[in-house]
DNA sequence: GTAAGAAAAATTTTT
DNA sequence: TTTTTCTTAC
């Protein structure tokens, strides 16, 4: 047996890998080779003769699972790696739930409701109960339901819990308990589970069927859990039960990177691991192999401000590295411009490829400005998150058809497509149908199957349309087991008229919808082929659905996405690393999020989130904040984030004070001046860039409401028509100069490189005589 | 029952 | 800003 790969580990990593006797907790600081420990440990178990099918490895994302599997396959061979139980909690247990579904009253082909389905269901229930949806906001109701499920509180238990009932009365939503009850009933009736159900129902399965639990206890000889700091109670208990007998379990995590409490993650799971598993051994990985000393030290100084944490000393032995550059800008628009400029500089320095660079932000909505700026400068990028492929309308429509075919009880799918494409079944009819189905406590489909029996109050014409719709779905449903997924999906989109509907005109939107539908069909085709190549039985439509419902667009990496700048939220960046990282929008009211500044606990989580962002960087890290930002159709003023002050300033490259303030205040109107003062007092550091061009008071303009307002200038620092030289674009001719939000901007024609809009403050231009 | 157009609302992070 | 809901005319 060749175990030489163990020599590639440091001492603490190696002891964590080699300890397989009992429970172990690996506290892994950022960049300390956590994934390496997990992969090597699995390889070590395999080389020691453990069967791959008895190893359960739970990860946080599908992507993490896939990458780990690939790395293991490279070490022990693809054939062995294939049989590992590796995936997210949700995907592994949905698989188990499918094979055990009958035991808990679901069918094998149960639907998985995504958050949009849950939201829609919550809204219908609130409406049916004739409650005010401004009081019973779907977001709040949803999170309340999610909270209950994550803590394994069933509707009955909810009802019996005086604290919860009291809390709801105080929050003026006393009927919360009823909504929860009805929500669960409706899911059950639709043969559907939401994301939280996948964990809750697994617990119910294990609780009510000890023999089933035992079966899996025996199956899983060793359990590994990644990102343990982000597990919730439901996940904790599943793991705890499965490992009960042998305690052959290894969990890996970093309390400093716990950033999912809004999803029910309980940091206590990792903090109290030793009391859950009495004989647990703890390994600490403290050497950071990812980042420069400056970045590691800066991150340490930040996280030090958190009271709640397991103290550890993360250190780096890499070079000192450059200080973190803090960029101060006037608008979000300019922020994009400057970040894009810096990226160009990095790219042309030849030390960095686009793929080495990431832009991280707190909210998805910030991606737009960045995107625009990158596009203007011709920088290729790839956005993760936001509206993913599977959330597009046309894709959801097709998927809804497929879902209904596989599970006719799926109410959300039915509502979505019963009148798409339009077939004369309007809201009134649908409402009657749903009402009738609730009256008889059956699914809407059941009513459709026998409209007379359930006395559906519709006229003959409508009844006919409904019957037509029903028989169309019926025909498809009969083919579930005979046709493969691709063939069936193909006839669904044709016969249903979805294809015809997307072909209505030649507008770009219509074209893109067609492409998306084709793309989806292609994906189904590929799915079938992969299954076949693996020697599995024919891939059926339900198989595809069960896989696709847990997929996010992070899982659809394409070859063409190779050398591109990455744009994503900080949450999505967890576990990733980049040579250079730009953390943008470091402002109060944004990062930390205003929703998270109520309690110290939430604030500490935001700080950890910033910690995660910082520690993604290997060599260079930039932080930027704008003084005004376009948000919800309005321009808002903002102050730098309090978190910047939390970093020891010796690691920062702060913008230095450029001008005495009197020179700058002159032309600002009263409003603006108070804003400015508020800004200054909240942040003791100087706010103007050292090397910014002197701007005379005469040319200062107040920050306008629309980001793009510009004031033409006659005699800027550079005359119109002059020739200038730029480090990247070469020689160009100045077409026009203007002041945009107080900054001199020049439109310059660089010939083949195109016309560029550059802020003179930042562009290094040489005027040619 | 449908479509279009106007008004109002909503905005964190994700499996 | 975008998205959802309401109104109105066909």
């Amino acid at each position: 047996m060749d175990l030489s790969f163990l020599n590639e580990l440091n001492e603490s990593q190696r002891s964590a890998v080699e300890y397989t006797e009992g429970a172990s907790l690996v506290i892994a600081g950022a960049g300390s080779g956590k994934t390496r420990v997990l992969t090597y440990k699995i390889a070590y178990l395999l080389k020691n003769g453990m069967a791959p099918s008895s190893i359960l490895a739970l990860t946080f994302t599908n992507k993490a699972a896939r990458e780990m599997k690939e790395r293991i396959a490279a070490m022990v061979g693809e054939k062995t790696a294939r049989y590992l139980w590796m995936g997210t909690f949700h995907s592994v247990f949905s698989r188990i739930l499918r094979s055990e579904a009958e035991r808990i009253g679901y069918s094998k082909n149960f639907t998985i409701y995504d958050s949009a389905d849950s939201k829609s269901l919550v809204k219908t229930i609130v409406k049916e109960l004739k409650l005010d949806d401004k009081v019973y906001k779907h977001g709040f109701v949803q999170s309340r339901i999610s909270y209950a499920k994550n803590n394994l509180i069933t509707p009955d238990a909810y009802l019996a819990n005086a604290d919860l009932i009291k809390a709801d009365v105080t929050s003026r939503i006393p009927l919360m308990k009823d909504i929860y009850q009805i929500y669960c009933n409706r899911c059950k009736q639709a043969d559907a589970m939401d994301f939280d159900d996948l964990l809750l129902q697994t617990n119910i399965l294990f609780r009510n069927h000890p023999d089933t639990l035992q079966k899996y206890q025996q199956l899983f000889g060793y359990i590994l859990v990644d990102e343990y700091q982000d597990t919730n109670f439901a996940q904790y208990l599943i793991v705890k039960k499965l490992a009960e007998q042998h305690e052959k379990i290894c969990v890996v995590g970093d309390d400093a990177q716990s950033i999912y409490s809004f999803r029910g993650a309980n940091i206590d799971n990792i903090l109290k691991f030793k009391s859950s598993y009495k004989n647990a051994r703890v390994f600490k990985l403290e050497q950071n192999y990812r980042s420069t000393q400056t970045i590691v030290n800066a991150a340490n100084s930040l996280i030090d401000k958190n009271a709640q944490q397991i103290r550890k000393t993360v250190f780096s032995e890499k070079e000192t590295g450059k200080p973190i550059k803090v960029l101060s800008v006037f608008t979000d628009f300019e922020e994009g411009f400057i970040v894009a400029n810096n990226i160009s500089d990095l790219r042309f320095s030849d030390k960095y490829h686009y793929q080495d660079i990431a832009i991280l932000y707190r909210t998805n909505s910030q991606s737009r400005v960045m995107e625009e700026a990158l596009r203007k400068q011709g920088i290729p990028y790839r956005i993760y998150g936001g509206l993913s492929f599977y959330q597009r309308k046309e894709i959801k429509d097709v998927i809804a058809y497929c879902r209904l075919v596989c599970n006719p009880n799926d109410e959300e799918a039915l509502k979505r497509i019963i009148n798409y494409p339009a077939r004369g079944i309007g809201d009134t009819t649908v409402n009657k149908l749903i009402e009738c189905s609730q009256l008889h406590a059956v699914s809407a489909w059941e009513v459709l199957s026998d409209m007379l029996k359930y006395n559906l109050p519709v006229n003959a014409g409508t009844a006919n349309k409904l019957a037509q719709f029903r028989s169309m779905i019926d025909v498809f449903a009969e083919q579930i087991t005979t046709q493969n997924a691709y063939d069936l999906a193909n006839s669904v989109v044709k016969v249903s008229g979805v294809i015809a509907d997307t072909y209505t005109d030649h507008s770009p939107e219509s074209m893109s919808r067609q492409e998306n539908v084709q793309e989806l069909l292609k994906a189904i085709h590929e799915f079938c082929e992969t299954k076949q190549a693996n020697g599995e039985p024919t891939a059926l439509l339900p198989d595809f659905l069960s896989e696709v419902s847990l997929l996010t667009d992070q899982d659809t990496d394409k070859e063409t996405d190779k050398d591109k700048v990455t744009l994503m939220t900080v949450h999505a960046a967890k576990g990733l690393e980049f040579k250079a990282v730009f953390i943008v929008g470091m402002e109060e009211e944004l990062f930390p999020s205003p929703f998270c500044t109520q309690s110290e606990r939430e604030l500490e989580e935001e700080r950890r989130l910033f910690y995660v962002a910082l520690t993604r960087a290997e060599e260079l890290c930039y932080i930027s904040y704008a003084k005004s930002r376009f948000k919800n159709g309005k321009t808002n003023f903002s102050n730098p984030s309090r978190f910047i002050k939390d970093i020891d300033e010796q690691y920062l490259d702060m913008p230095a004070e450029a001008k005495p303030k009197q020179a700058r205040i002159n032309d600002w109107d009263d409003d603006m001046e108070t804003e400015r003062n508020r800004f200054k007092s909240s942040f003791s550091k100087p706010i103007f860039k050292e090397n910014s061009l002197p701007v005379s008071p005469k040319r200062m303009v107040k920050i306008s409401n629309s980001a793009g307002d510009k004031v033409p200038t006659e005699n800027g620092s550079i005359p119109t028509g002059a020739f200038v030289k730029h480090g990247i674009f070469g020689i160009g001719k100045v077409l026009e100069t203007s002041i945009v939000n107080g900054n001199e901007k020049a439109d310059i024609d660089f010939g083949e490189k195109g016309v560029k809009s550059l802020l003179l403050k930042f562009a290094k231009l040489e005027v040619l005589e």
Side-chain angles (χ1 to χ4, degrees):
Chain A
M1 182 172 37
D2 180 20
L3 291 174
S4 61
F5 61 86
L6 291 176
N7 296 328
E8 295 164 31
L9 299 169
N10 72 25
E11 215 172 297
S12 34
Q13 288 173 332
R14 182 164 179 159
S15 32
V17 166
E18 288 179 333
Y19 181 74
T20 57
E21 306 311 310
S24 58
L25 164 64
V26 180
I27 297 286
S32 61
K34 174 181 68 111
T35 317
R36 178 170 264 229
V37 165
L38 275 173
T39 46
Y40 281 42
K41 184 152 190 151
I42 293 170
Y44 182 77
L45 290 167
L46 291 171
K47 299 248 172 173
N48 275 319
M50 184 161 254
S53 60
S54 60
I55 297 177
L56 171 65
L58 297 164
T59 60
F60 196 70
T61 61
N62 294 308
K63 196 179 174 192
R66 201 179 45 231
E67 282 174 3
M68 204 186 292
K69 213 167 192 174
E70 274 165 18
R71 286 167 73 165
I72 294 168
M75 295 173 81
V76 302
E78 209 272 316
K79 285 212 179 77
T80 311
R82 191 193 296 169
Y83 297 101
L84 290 165
W85 283 80
M86 184 175 293
T88 62
F89 272 90
H90 292 84
S91 73
V92 166
F93 293 107
S94 72
R95 194 168 142 196
I96 289 178
L97 281 171
R98 273 192 208 283
S99 59
E100 311 288 342
E102 273 88 8
R103 298 187 156 242
I104 49 167
Y106 285 83
S107 78
K108 197 172 165 306
N109 287 345
F110 65 80
T111 298
I112 296 174
Y113 273 179
D114 64 15
S115 10
D117 296 316
S118 308
K119 174 177 147 188
S120 156
L121 181 52
V122 166
K123 278 183 158 182
T124 8
I125 295 170
V126 169
K127 210 176 259 174
E128 280 170 10
L129 291 175
K130 301 207 166 53
L131 298 169
D132 184 354
D133 59 358
K134 287 182 189 68
V135 179
Y136 289 85
K137 295 191 176 184
H138 67 257
F140 188 72
V141 173
Q142 252 182 304
S143 68
R144 201 88 180 124
I145 293 174
S146 178
Y147 166 85
K149 289 190 175 184
N150 286 151
N151 288 288
L152 306 181
I153 303 168
T154 57
D156 287 341
Y158 196 100
L159 212 56
N161 187 321
D163 290 339
L164 289 171
I165 299 294
K166 211 168 122 194
D168 286 341
V169 173
T170 329
S171 326
R172 294 173 192 275
I173 47 167
L175 292 181
M176 188 57 227
K177 57 180 185 350
D178 302 289
I179 299 175
Y180 183 31
Q181 176 77 256
I182 297 170
Y183 178 91
C184 291
N185 291 344
R186 288 286 268 274
C187 285
K188 191 74 188 290
Q189 206 172 70
D191 201 8
M193 294 200 198
D194 65 13
F195 287 139
D196 300 319
D197 271 329
L198 295 175
L199 306 174
L200 171 63
Q201 300 296 341
T202 303
N203 272 293
I204 291 176
L205 172 73
F206 288 165
R207 186 195 61 192
N208 295 353
H209 301 275
D211 53 321
T212 311
L213 172 62
Q214 208 186 1
K215 183 170 97 189
Y216 289 101
Q217 282 173 338
Q218 278 161 7
L219 174 63
F220 300 132
Y222 204 96
I223 300 171
L224 302 102
V225 187
D226 192 12
E227 309 281 10
Y228 194 69
Q229 76 281 358
D230 284 320
T231 51
N232 59 35
F233 181 65
Q235 290 166 323
Y236 159 82
L237 201 62
I238 292 174
V239 169
K240 173 86 180 150
K241 280 193 172 166
L242 285 175
E244 218 163 43
Q245 309 289 326
H246 49 61
E247 296 213 341
K248 298 247 172 151
I249 174 172
C250 171
V251 306
V252 182
D254 177 7
D255 59 294
Q257 295 184 64
S258 162
I259 54 173
Y260 279 95
S261 74
F262 71 92
R263 225 174 73 188
N266 190 347
I267 197 166
D268 288 343
N269 288 348
I270 195 165
L271 298 179
K272 297 189 177 150
F273 185 80
K274 276 205 278 186
S275 50
S276 298
Y277 298 87
K278 292 282 178 255
N279 301 314
R281 281 193 52 184
V282 177
F283 300 91
K284 277 193 185 181
L285 309 181
E286 295 180 311
Q287 178 163 5
N288 177 307
Y289 294 96
R290 178 188 295 154
S291 316
T292 62
Q293 290 187 25
T294 302
I295 290 168
V296 169
N297 293 340
N300 282 344
S301 72
L302 169 82
I303 205 67
D304 204 42
K305 308 293 185 292
N306 270 9
Q308 285 291 321
Q309 58 172 312
I310 300 176
R311 298 281 159 186
K312 53 184 157 315
T313 332
V314 180
F315 66 98
S316 165
E317 285 181 358
K318 291 181 74 176
E319 69 273 85
T320 315
K322 288 197 176 148
I324 295 171
K325 184 114 179 151
V326 182
L327 305 168
S328 162
V329 295
F330 283 94
T331 64
D332 47 351
F333 178 80
E334 190 185 335
E335 183 180 46
F337 183 84
I338 283 158
V339 167
N341 266 350
N342 274 291
I343 290 175
S344 287
D345 288 348
L346 290 179
R347 176 67 186 85
F348 283 91
S349 73
D350 266 356
K351 290 196 197 78
Y352 297 89
H353 295 280
Y354 288 129
Q355 71 210 17
D356 300 328
I357 303 168
I359 301 175
L360 306 182
Y361 34 76
R362 177 69 241 263
T363 68
N364 275 308
S365 57
Q366 288 165 260
S367 68
R368 182 168 307 234
V369 217
M370 288 296 144
E371 223 182 321
E372 232 162 77
L374 294 176
R375 212 170 18 222
K376 270 188 194 151
Q377 301 210 22
I379 299 170
Y381 61 87
R382 159 103 158 92
I383 296 190
Y384 290 81
L387 189 67
S388 80
F389 180 72
Y390 290 102
Q391 288 171 333
R392 282 165 216 250
K393 186 197 168 294
E394 59 274 19
I395 300 305
K396 294 202 78 168
D397 290 334
V398 177
I399 299 269
Y401 267 103
C402 297
R403 269 168 53 176
L404 193 64
V405 168
C406 297
N407 169 20
N409 293 319
D410 185 337
E411 185 176 310
E412 292 305 318
L414 179 113
K415 278 199 297 194
R416 189 175 180 97
I417 45 109
I418 193 166
N419 196 34
Y420 173 80
R423 47 174 75 87
I425 304 171
D427 290 347
T428 338
T429 309
V430 175
N431 287 337
K432 277 182 198 160
L433 175 64
I434 302 283
E435 207 175 297
C436 179
S437 76
Q438 286 319 115
L439 195 70
H440 296 91
V442 294
S443 72
W445 182 256
E446 180 67 28
V447 176
L448 280 188
S449 311
D450 200 340
M451 287 180 270
L452 291 177
K453 176 178 162 194
Y454 295 104
N455 276 322
L456 186 63
V458 289
N459 61 40
T462 312
N464 189 254
K465 287 173 190 161
L466 288 172
Q468 262 184 338
F469 173 75
R470 200 193 65 90
S471 59
M472 174 178 74
I473 299 296
D474 260 341
V475 171
F476 294 137
E478 280 161 16
Q479 304 172 50
I480 285 184
T481 47
T482 53
Q483 297 262 41
N484 78 25
Y486 176 71
D487 292 334
L488 186 50
N490 224 341
S491 54
V492 165
V493 292
K494 278 195 195 117
V495 178
S496 66
V498 172
I499 285 281
D501 189 73
T502 56
Y503 272 86
T504 43
D505 56 281
H506 293 282
S507 64
E509 296 80 37
S510 171
M511 299 293 279
S512 126
R513 272 185 284 139
Q514 291 163 29
E515 275 168 29
N516 287 332
V517 173
Q518 290 309 322
E519 191 67 28
L520 177 65
L521 289 173
K522 209 176 98 192
I524 302 178
H525 191 65
E526 271 166 24
F527 172 81
C528 294
E529 295 205 315
T530 318
K531 285 261 162 169
Q532 211 164 19
N534 285 343
E536 290 174 47
T538 331
L540 302 175
L541 196 55
D543 302 331
F544 175 75
L545 284 184
S546 63
E547 196 143 304
V548 89
S549 44
L550 293 170
L551 229 52
T552 59
D553 75 339
Q554 304 226 11
D555 305 317
T556 53
D557 261 323
K558 290 197 211 89
E559 264 305 297
T560 49
D561 287 330
K562 266 195 315 201
D563 193 23
K564 289 184 176 176
V565 173
T566 300
L567 275 73
M568 55 169 62
T569 63
V570 183
H571 281 90
K574 191 172 80 161
L576 306 179
E577 55 188 23
F578 302 90
K579 281 191 182 168
V581 167
F582 291 82
I583 306 166
V584 301
M586 282 309 297
E587 295 140 35
E588 286 294 301
E589 312 285 290
L590 186 62
F591 200 169
S593 158
F595 299 93
C596 301
T597 45
Q598 263 74 7
S599 69
E600 195 53 35
R601 219 184 124 86
E602 289 172 301
L603 198 61
E604 292 205 347
E605 174 149 322
E606 290 287 300
R607 195 178 279 114
R608 290 195 294 268
L609 189 57
F610 186 33
Y611 175 82
V612 168
L614 282 175
T615 53
R616 296 311 95 197
E618 294 170 1
E619 296 169 6
L620 293 177
C621 186
Y622 299 76
I623 295 171
S624 67
Y625 58 87
K627 282 154 220 164
S628 72
R629 182 171 294 275
F630 198 65
K631 207 174 171 184
N632 307 333
K634 276 204 304 249
T635 299
N636 296 305
F637 295 104
S638 42
N639 298 318
S641 169
R642 64 190 82 179
F643 292 151
I644 300 178
K645 271 185 290 186
D646 287 342
I647 300 177
D648 190 330
E649 63 179 289
Q650 64 170 303
Y651 305 117
L652 297 179
D653 176 3
M654 282 287 204
E657 181 77 63
K659 285 279 136 193
K661 31 188 158 164
Q662 297 91 316
R664 297 191 144 259
I665 289 173
N666 283 359
D667 282 356
W668 299 67
D669 65 23
D670 289 343
D671 263 348
M672 206 35 225
E673 192 172 333
T674 39
E675 278 305 328
R676 250 180 68 81
N677 287 337
R678 209 156 67 83
F679 179 77
K680 288 224 72 139
S681 61
S682 84
F683 196 59
S684 55
K685 286 288 157 196
I687 54 173
F688 292 104
K689 263 187 83 91
E690 188 176 25
N691 58 350
S692 64
L693 285 175
V695 181
S696 79
K698 261 169 273 165
R699 276 200 262 119
M700 290 299 287
V701 289
K702 69 178 171 188
I703 293 179
S704 59
N705 275 340
S706 63
D709 265 12
K710 58 179 189 179
V711 180
T713 52
E714 295 282 302
N715 51 350
S717 323
I718 302 178
T720 307
F723 286 90
V724 293
K725 191 175 167 193
H726 184 268
I728 295 154
F729 304 125
I731 293 178
K733 186 182 178 186
V734 178
L735 301 175
E736 190 195 1
T737 57
S738 54
I739 302 284
V740 176
N741 296 326
N743 288 303
E744 262 193 303
K745 195 191 86 175
D747 294 336
I748 302 167
D749 183 359
F750 288 104
E752 276 179 28
K753 296 265 167 69
V755 178
K756 310 275 173 191
S757 281
L758 302 177
L759 287 188
L760 299 189
K761 187 172 162 184
F762 301 103
K764 292 174 199 100
L765 290 176
E766 194 185 323
V767 181
L768 304 174
E769 300 305 329

